[in-house]
Amino acid sequence: MAFENRAEAGRLLAHRLDDYRGRHPVVMAIPRGAVPMGKIVADALDGELDVVLVRKLRAPNNPELAIGSIDETGSVYLDPDTRDLWDEPYLVGEKKTQLEMLKHRRQQYQPTGAAIDVAGRIAIVVDDGIATGSTMIAALRAVRTRRPAKLVAATGVASSEALRLIREEADETVCLETPPVLFAIGYHFRDFAQVSDDDVVATLREARRPSAAPAS
């Protein structure tokens, strides 16, 4: 196990990202698991915390396997290695299901405040772990359309193949652990407790309190 929990991974990521301290980055966490990590990173770097909403597109009869991912606008990234696992009618239905979930999550999280404008700023997209890379790729592409000055991908653990794909999308990639074989993200955390939507909302509200904002 690489990490005791997400908090430890967040502290280690913040240390690796220390060059961005004082440059007011926006840390864009991928819900739900990465949000506690993102809060730690944002606090350590004197930045701001927000979320980037993307969803995994699940393989038929194997919901743990990603065939791609989708963002709030409906933009889709498909893993070419999984093309023989699905047909077009299945993909249409799965996209609709995940878009509805994204809409639901946006409604849940929106009371914490409007999305932070990342145009011209350093955007750091954080996930707790990356298996295939499809979710992180969709997140990076979604944030890229918002014209950040620099786009950074940061994660606790990732497969070497996923990192290869992500490096083509991000201006910089930071990964703490790249095991020879990545069986499951949770395997690399001693405590990998589920993060709920209520946890996400509470974390975002705490991050956006006036006392938590960086000094002007």
Side-chain angles (χ1 to χ4, degrees):
M1 296 180 184
F3 312 108
E4 182 64 28
N5 49 34
R6 290 184 179 92
E8 181 187 33
R11 290 190 294 269
L12 292 170
L13 266 184
H15 178 71
R16 288 280 300 274
L17 294 162
D18 193 62
D19 285 348
Y20 298 109
R21 185 192 303 271
R23 298 170 67 181
H24 200 31
V26 182
V27 178
M28 308 288 294
I30 299 175
R32 294 175 297 200
V35 174
M37 290 175 58
K39 174 70 163 54
I40 292 169
V41 173
D43 287 349
L45 302 182
D46 298 322
E48 293 184 88
L49 176 68
D50 204 351
V51 291
V52 52
L53 299 186
V54 292
R55 290 284 294 178
K56 174 174 71 177
L57 295 172
R58 305 162 300 175
N61 305 314
N62 188 356
E64 296 303 313
L65 176 64
I67 61 172
S69 50
I70 188 168
D71 69 16
E72 290 182 89
T73 70
S75 293
V76 170
Y77 167 80
L78 294 172
D79 184 343
D81 292 336
T82 65
R83 181 60 188 89
D84 60 341
L85 300 180
W86 52 270
D87 58 23
E88 196 62 31
Y90 173 82
L91 181 61
V92 170
E94 177 65 1
K95 286 165 58 178
K96 181 179 179 181
T97 297
Q98 299 308 327
L99 275 173
E100 289 174 352
M101 178 58 72
L102 287 171
K103 181 180 179 180
H104 175 68
R105 281 197 172 169
R106 177 54 68 189
Q107 291 171 341
Q108 284 183 298
Y109 302 163
Q110 197 64 39
T112 64
I116 296 172
D117 185 7
V118 302
R121 297 176 62 181
I122 296 163
I124 303 172
V125 180
V126 174
D127 205 356
D128 47 13
I130 302 170
T132 65
S134 62
T135 300
M136 176 60 85
I137 289 171
L140 290 168
R141 290 181 178 180
V143 176
R144 179 76 78 183
T145 65
R146 296 163 62 181
R147 304 185 307 280
K150 185 173 185 179
L151 184 57
V152 181
T155 186
V157 59
S159 67
S160 57
E161 176 59 20
L163 284 180
R164 182 186 68 79
L165 296 172
I166 290 163
R167 288 188 180 111
E168 298 177 3
E169 304 286 339
D171 300 318
E172 180 183 352
T173 301
V174 176
C175 179
L176 299 174
E177 296 286 340
T178 310
V181 179
L182 195 154
F183 295 105
I185 302 303
Y187 178 82
H188 301 276
F189 293 77
R190 188 176 302 277
D191 176 7
F192 200 62
Q194 184 176 3
V195 177
S196 69
D197 285 319
D198 287 343
D199 294 331
V200 172
V201 171
T203 301
L204 291 173
R205 282 179 173 157
E206 181 182 356
R208 295 194 180 194
R209 287 175 184 164
S211 61
S216 58

